[in-house]
Amino acid sequence: MQQFQVPQGHFSLQRYPVDANPSLRAWDAADELILKHVDEQLTHPDPGIWIYNDSFGALSVALNNYSVQAISDSYLAHRSIDNNYCDNHLVTDSLTVKSSIETLEGTPDIVLIKVPKTLALLEDQLCRLRPFLTAQTQVIGAAMVRHIHSSTLSLFERIIGPTKTSLATKKARLIFSTPDMEIKPSKSPYPNSYTLEGTKHQIINHANVFSRQKLDIGTRLFLQHLPVSATAQSIIDLGCGNGIVGLIASERNPSAQLKFIDESYMAVASAKQNFENAFNGQHKATFVVDNCLDKTDSDSADLILNNPPFHQQQAIGDHIALQMFRQSHRVLRQKGELWVIGNRHLGYHKRLKQIFGNCTRVASNSKFVILKTTKL
């Protein structure tokens, strides 16, 4: 548990899921900067505050004395906020936590936006936010300097209104955007779609889905080698994204029950729509927003298909992949298989051998490798 000292108070915070690396904090300098600004400039006696992309709850916890609506596409962020409120013995009566695709309500006095990694997600969030703003609403963005680009500021300028930035402090910067009520609210360009190559499937993608415009090369290789199995009656697409892998697995194994899992609400919504469009209720599937396989029963799956991420927010590492591999071992039935696609340089075969005791290469190219391991 790390100690977070800001003008609003002293709080204990931790990332979710808890990581063994103590150098990874549950906040950054941009969180500190925006909270300092709010403390110095706050004039409204009881402001309604909307907070976007509060990765681990630092902003929501620090501003717990106000009416807070926290909006994020990340299940892990939602859990972080809940856990850190609980750890600090805070009352949640004035806290509302919503996903990026839920309907917004009310009129905020202050909007705090941690600039997300994905520019498309920022565009979608600003478009959804715009109709709820008044001329008096304060819209303040925050990010580390390296994550603020001219394209970032252009979105604020085009969708919200006149935009300027603060001076950099500890490599962080604020964005101030004044609502221009003459700007007509624009509809978000998301979700968008494309036709999956070699098929008639129209693939729908919400803004925070990886590879929204076309099939990425790693998934293309994975699709070419997905197994057909008479014994695989329960298949999980773990880290499903838009659900293409599970969709094609269901097409090749029509009697199987599919389960799509991702920590992104937009990813799971995309996967659900794509599956329903493809099979119109003729194939069986469930859709779960979760931290990897936390909610999945042990010894319940015959086949798990996995393209693990190698980063959480801006932090790069293999801790999420390792969690997926370890939980897959728990969830698979005896003789069940885990198939993994990943960049060759990540060395997943070593980790899989440590956990499962075996690992076989199914296929590879110059950049990616498909690995298969069996629960003995």
Side-chain angles (χ1 to χ4, degrees), residues 189-242:
Y190 303 98
N192 61 4
S193 65
Y194 64 85
T195 302
L196 181 60
E197 57 190 55
T199 76
K200 295 181 180 180
H201 298 308
Q202 195 72 10
I203 303 302
I204 303 299
N205 302 281
H206 281 279
N208 200 33
V209 173
F210 172 70
S211 196
R212 295 173 304 280
Q213 306 298 331
K214 61 181 180 180
L215 183 66
D216 67 281
I217 57 176
T219 302
R220 180 182 291 112
L221 177 67
F222 208 14
L223 295 182
Q224 293 169 0
H225 297 276
L226 289 181
V228 175
S229 172
T231 60
Q233 294 303 300
S234 176
I235 301 175
I236 296 175
D237 184 351
L238 177 58
C240 65
N242 59 17

Side-chain angles (χ1 to χ4, degrees), residues 64-133:
N64 70 87
N65 286 326
Y66 306 106
S67 176
V68 170
Q69 184 164 256
I71 302 106
S72 172
D73 188 49
S74 169
Y75 172 82
L76 300 183
H78 288 203
R79 288 296 305 271
S80 291
I81 294 170
D82 290 342
N83 288 355
N84 282 318
Y85 256 72
C86 181
D87 290 340
N88 286 278
H89 309 291
L90 302 176
V91 177
T92 60
D93 292 353
S94 59
L95 172 68
T96 302
V97 181
K98 290 191 172 185
S99 76
S100 289
I101 55 178
E102 287 186 87
T103 302
L104 300 174
E105 297 176 353
T107 301
D109 299 299
I110 302 173
V111 179
L112 307 179
I113 303 174
K114 286 296 295 294
V115 174
K117 183 178 179 180
T118 305
L119 198 63
L121 177 58
L122 176 62
E123 181 177 14
D124 183 77
Q125 289 178 333
L126 292 179
C127 286
R128 291 171 183 260
L129 166 67
R130 183 64 183 80
F132 297 90
L133 302 180

Side-chain angles (χ1 to χ4, degrees), residues 137-175:
T137 307
Q138 298 180 55
V139 179
I140 308 169
M144 303 307 290
V145 171
R146 66 183 182 275
H147 300 139
I148 299 177
H149 311 286
S150 59
S151 56
T152 309
L153 302 180
S154 294
L155 281 181
F156 278 94
E157 188 91 26
R158 175 171 61 84
I159 300 171
I160 305 300
T163 298
K164 61 182 181 179
T165 61
S166 71
L167 296 175
T169 302
K170 294 170 63 175
K171 299 182 180 180
R173 180 167 286 161
L174 300 182
I175 300 168

Side-chain angles (χ1 to χ4, degrees), residues 260-316:
F260 294 82
I261 301 174
D262 205 289
E263 77 96 21
S264 161
Y265 291 90
M266 284 186 167
V268 173
S270 301
K272 187 173 189 292
Q273 188 168 354
N274 289 329
F275 193 88
E276 291 174 349
N277 290 348
F279 301 116
N280 195 28
Q282 300 303 305
H283 289 204
K284 298 174 290 184
T286 56
F287 304 86
V288 180
V289 180
D290 194 12
N291 172 35
C292 301
L293 293 163
D294 281 1
K295 300 175 187 175
T296 304
D297 293 337
S298 300
D299 305 309
S300 62
D302 301 305
L303 174 65
I304 297 176
L305 306 170
N306 181 216
N307 183 357
F310 51 88
H311 57 79
Q312 182 181 9
Q313 306 301 334
Q314 309 298 341
I316 297 175

Side-chain angles (χ1 to χ4, degrees), residues 180-195:
D180 180 353
M181 305 315 290
E182 297 299 316
I183 297 177
K184 183 179 179 181
S186 57
K187 189 177 184 299
S188 172
Y190 303 98
N192 61 4
S193 65
Y194 64 85
T195 302

Side-chain angles (χ1 to χ4, degrees), residues 28-49:
D28 60 18
D31 291 312
E32 296 172 332
L33 185 59
I34 202 169
L35 288 171
K36 181 175 183 293
H37 175 82
V38 169
D39 180 69
E40 293 173 346
Q41 303 297 323
L42 185 62
T43 57
H44 197 291
D46 186 24
I49 303 176

